[in-house]
Amino acid sequence: MTHSFDALIVGGGAAGLMCAITAGKRGRRVAVLERADRVGKKILISGGGRCNFTNLHCHPDNFISANPHFARSALSRYTPADFIELVEKYHIPYHEKTLGQLFCDRSANDILAMLLEECRLARVSIFLGTRISEVTRSDDFVVRTDNAEFRAPVLAAASGGLSIPKIGATSFGYDLARQFGIKIQEPRPGLVPFVLNGKDRSELCDLAGVSMEVTAASDGQQFREKMLITHRGLSGPAILQVSSYWNPTRPVKIDLAPEREIVAELLQQKTPRTVQSLRSRVRELLPNRFADRWIELHPPSGWTNSALEDWEKEVHAWVIAPAGTEGFDKAEVTVGGVDTDELSAKTMEARRVPGLFFIGEVVDVTGHLGGYNFQWAWASGRAAGEAL
Ligand SMILES: Cc1cc2nc3c(=O)[nH]c(=O)nc-3n(C[C@H](O)[C@H](O)[C@H](O)COP(=O)(O)OP(=O)(O)OC[C@H]3O[C@@H](n4cnc5c(N)ncnc54)[C@H](O)[C@@H]3O)c2cc1C
């Protein structure tokens, strides 16, 4: 059976649905081809089930890309305020959790239900469980599945990145790009916990569950947020953020007590300088179990002013060399993807292949933690939807 449309969109996630709604409202006959048994699965699991759908402080600096300017155009034409307007039109209750991050009060399903209603109003056709075996191009793009053929003059790849394969991530978008000779920035896991090397793991991971505010830094970027010790390594927002920038050949530096002085008090007091007095001071600043372990593993080399000052320096610059990350199984996003030099920043259309668009996470634009990845999905989906 052959289905003909004005536009085909592969992938019914955040970017694909927004693109379909935008194009559908412009009168285009749009088909969304989704591999899973329902659309928007990642929306449903996002933000711990409450979907951190945007960030009030969205700025191009919150995105990683080989070309840091690429995202500007789309982001400026569809802003957090635009998405909030849509959310409010549907009377979806939401709140700011922290740092401009907006979450649903009830559940992520509110966002998905809103997008599906918008799809219905825009007369978007959604095909679920589509297994694409081949994409070819003559005059039209032809997408072949197990039991049907879809044709349209334009096609948007909105199939997302490689993270969380168990809910349906595939390499479709990258494979399609390669098929048409479009370059890729090597995909790697981002917003992902670190696995510690054997020594650090044996020394620290029995403290799994302990968390504290730190500044984590790697490759010239630093983030002051919470760090969490896990059974295999380190996680928490500060670590997830820095993981997206991590270069495995370089260490990660962690300030365990940002902007806090530890030994200054001890140096001024007349009380004896002992392990006990140091421990009680560190316990004021760090969780007790971590404070005790840190002093056990890193005792001061002496009790002179300079020995204590050197000891403090290490607390502010703990250097770790992770063994790796938890990989795509646990990564919230994929860093890298379709090279932005290949795409129009205005429309997301491939420069060398007119009619072929790439949107959302499959593109080499990756947001920080905090609602930025959805904002990119909405903005890039919107930009393509206005053009295809
Ligand atoms: C656990 C978790 C929590 C997250 N929480 C947040 C958050 O709170 N805020 C935030 O901003 N970001 C969050 N993210 C990131 C965010 O979910 C993604 O960046 C965003 O969903 C990307 O949208 P997308 O449409 O590009 O891709 P996706 O949402 O991944 O959608 C791609 C779609 O394409 C389909 N597909 C894949 N291959 C094929 C194929 N071959 N044929 C047909 N269909 C295919 C998939 O089934 C999927 O439906 C989270 C990610 C994870 C994993």
Side-chain angles (χ1 to χ4, degrees):
M1 194 201 288
T2 300
H3 305 276
S4 289
F5 286 91
D6 295 332
L8 301 176
I9 298 171
V10 178
L17 294 176
M18 180 55 90
C19 181
I21 292 162
T22 309
K25 287 192 172 169
R26 290 175 50 240
R28 297 284 189 270
R29 290 178 312 110
V30 181
V32 172
L33 310 181
E34 169 56 55
R35 191 172 187 272
D37 55 2
R38 63 182 302 180
V39 294
K41 279 192 173 178
K42 222 174 246 181
I43 296 173
L44 292 178
I45 61 163
S46 68
R50 293 238 164 104
C51 187
N52 176 194
F53 54 81
T54 192
N55 192 297
L56 292 173
H57 311 310
C58 187
H59 185 274
D61 290 350
N62 300 115
F63 296 84
I64 305 165
S65 172
N67 175 359
H69 301 295
F70 177 81
R72 275 176 193 276
S73 169
L75 289 171
S76 69
R77 283 177 294 128
Y78 192 79
T79 65
D82 292 319
F83 195 76
I84 293 166
E85 193 182 315
L86 184 61
V87 167
E88 290 182 348
K89 188 171 130 198
Y90 278 79
H91 306 292
I92 296 173
Y94 67 90
H95 60 280
E96 180 182 349
K97 194 168 167 191
T98 171
L99 304 169
Q101 302 168 7
L102 301 190
F103 285 76
C104 296
D105 288 355
R106 293 189 302 233
S107 113
N109 194 44
D110 283 350
I111 298 293
L112 184 55
M114 172 187 84
L115 295 170
L116 285 173
E117 176 59 9
E118 288 284 294
C119 280
R120 194 186 64 77
L121 294 172
R123 299 175 180 275
V124 173
S125 302
I126 296 178
F127 295 83
L128 299 173
T130 53
R131 302 278 151 159
I132 298 173
S133 50
E134 190 185 35
V135 178
T136 55
R137 181 168 203 194
S138 44
D139 284 347
D140 280 349
F141 284 95
V142 181
V143 175
R144 291 200 178 79
T145 69
D146 289 350
N147 47 17
E149 189 177 277
F150 295 85
R151 286 177 167 269
V154 295
L155 185 145
S159 50
L162 297 173
S163 45
I164 323 278
K166 77 168 185 269
I167 65 159
T170 74
S171 61
F172 175 87
Y174 311 118
D175 298 340
L176 187 71
R178 287 191 194 101
Q179 178 187 335
F180 284 94
I182 293 168
K183 281 192 296 228
I184 305 276
Q185 293 283 333
E186 192 55 30
R188 61 188 164 85
L191 299 179
V192 63
F194 284 136
V195 175
L196 286 175
N197 63 46
K199 178 170 172 289
D200 288 340
R201 208 187 310 172
S202 65
E203 289 176 348
L204 288 170
C205 287
D206 61 315
L207 302 182
V210 170
S211 81
M212 66 199 90
E213 186 171 313
V214 303
T215 298
S218 186
D219 226 22
Q221 296 288 326
Q222 59 173 41
F223 296 91
R224 182 169 173 174
E225 284 188 68
K226 284 253 156 109
M227 173 183 87
L228 170 73
I229 299 178
T230 70
H231 291 289
R232 283 160 52 85
L234 299 176
S235 187
I239 298 298
L240 298 180
Q241 297 276 35
V242 94
S243 74
S244 297
Y245 290 91
W246 183 52
N247 171 343
T249 62
R250 305 237 183 97
V252 176
K253 208 192 263 183
I254 299 174
D255 182 344
L256 293 163
E259 289 175 46
R260 313 287 293 270
E261 288 188 338
I262 305 174
V263 297
E265 243 176 56
L266 227 61
L267 299 184
Q268 282 152 19
Q269 282 166 6
K270 295 282 173 262
T271 45
R273 297 174 181 185
T274 61
V275 171
Q276 287 77 4
S277 59
L278 183 62
R279 184 183 299 128
S280 53
R281 173 65 187 141
V282 179
R283 278 176 162 223
E284 287 168 23
L285 303 171
L286 300 178
N288 289 354
R289 290 172 68 207
F290 188 87
D292 295 357
R293 183 65 55 84
W294 183 265
I295 292 173
E296 196 184 313
L297 296 170
H298 306 264
S301 63
W303 298 100
T304 61
N305 286 8
S306 75
L308 284 171
E309 279 157 4
D310 284 349
W311 177 87
E312 169 146 4
K313 277 188 200 142
E314 207 183 337
V315 180
H316 294 298
W318 179 38
V319 175
I320 58 162
T325 72
E326 295 280 3
F328 285 117
D329 283 351
K330 297 273 171 65
E332 256 185 45
V333 287
T334 301
V335 186
V338 174
D339 195 320
T340 55
D341 284 351
E342 300 272 6
L343 305 177
S344 152
K346 186 155 182 264
T347 63
M348 307 291 132
E349 188 171 15
R351 294 182 192 284
R352 308 188 210 191
V353 191
L356 181 59
F357 295 71
F358 291 88
I359 53 176
E361 201 177 313
V362 75
V363 178
D364 173 32
V365 173
T366 308
H368 288 172
L369 189 75
Y372 302 101
N373 284 297
F374 278 132
Q375 189 57 37
W376 169 247
W378 314 135
S380 58
R382 175 65 162 238
E386 278 168 351
L388 51 70

